[in-house]
Amino acid sequence: MAKVKVNNNKTKGGVTMERIDWGKLVDNVKEGKGTSGGRVQSGLRQHIREILAEVPEGAREKLQGQPIGVWAQVLKAVLVEKYPEVHGNDRNLYNKIRVNIASWPTHFEYDPKTKVVRYLKW
C-alpha cells in the first residue's frame, strides 16, 4: 500500500503512524501497480491449465462428468505434489480450486444443481 510519512508525526502507543496517500494509491492502481495488495500471486489458474494439459486420455474420460469435489481433490493432490513451494502450505487450496472451477466458464462447464464438471479444453 502506498504510504507517505507526514510531518505532523502523530503517535499511537509511541509508534509513529503513517498516513495513506490516497491520491498516490489510486494513481498506482490505475497504472496497474500495486493491484495485488503487495502479496505474491500463486498462478493457480496457470498451474491448473498446465496440469490438465498433461492428463492422459484414459484419466480424462474418468474425470469428465465427475462432481466438483472429485475435481478439487484430484487437482489439489497434483498441485501440492508438482508445486509444493507455492501450494504446499495453502490450507485453503481446496476451496480456491472449487471457486475457480465454478467461476471459469471458458474452461469449465459446471452445473451447480448436479455439481457435475466438464473440462472444455480437452
Side-chain angles (χ1 to χ4, degrees):
M1 210 187 268
K3 293 184 179 181
V4 176
K5 288 197 175 201
V6 292
N7 292 334
N8 59 0
N9 291 334
K10 293 184 181 178
T11 61
K12 183 175 185 177
V15 177
T16 302
M17 293 177 55
E18 297 176 351
R19 285 211 180 140
I20 296 172
D21 183 345
W22 288 95
K24 184 175 181 181
L25 180 64
V26 170
D27 289 341
N28 284 343
V29 171
K30 284 170 62 176
E31 293 172 12
K33 301 177 197 167
T35 56
S36 67
R39 63 189 177 102
V40 175
Q41 298 293 320
S42 70
L44 180 60
R45 283 194 175 191
Q46 179 62 35
H47 291 162
I48 290 173
R49 278 192 298 264
E50 290 171 7
I51 288 168
L52 292 175
E54 299 171 0
V55 175
E57 191 65 36
R60 289 178 182 190
E61 293 170 8
K62 279 186 167 182
L63 202 49
Q64 288 286 36
Q66 292 296 320
I68 192 169
V70 172
W71 278 85
Q73 288 174 358
V74 169
L75 288 171
K76 179 182 176 187
V78 177
L79 282 165
V80 169
E81 178 72 25
K82 191 167 180 176
Y83 305 102
E85 67 286 348
V86 179
H87 302 293
N89 295 326
D90 190 347
R91 297 184 325 184
N92 201 24
L93 184 58
Y94 176 84
N95 290 326
K96 289 177 183 177
I97 294 168
R98 284 182 62 106
V99 167
N100 271 283
I101 289 172
S103 64
W104 200 356
T106 59
H107 284 67
F108 291 97
E109 181 181 282
Y110 172 63
D111 182 1
K113 292 179 184 167
T114 62
K115 308 277 193 245
V116 171
V117 175
R118 296 187 56 76
Y119 186 59
L120 302 174
K121 299 295 181 175
W122 284 334

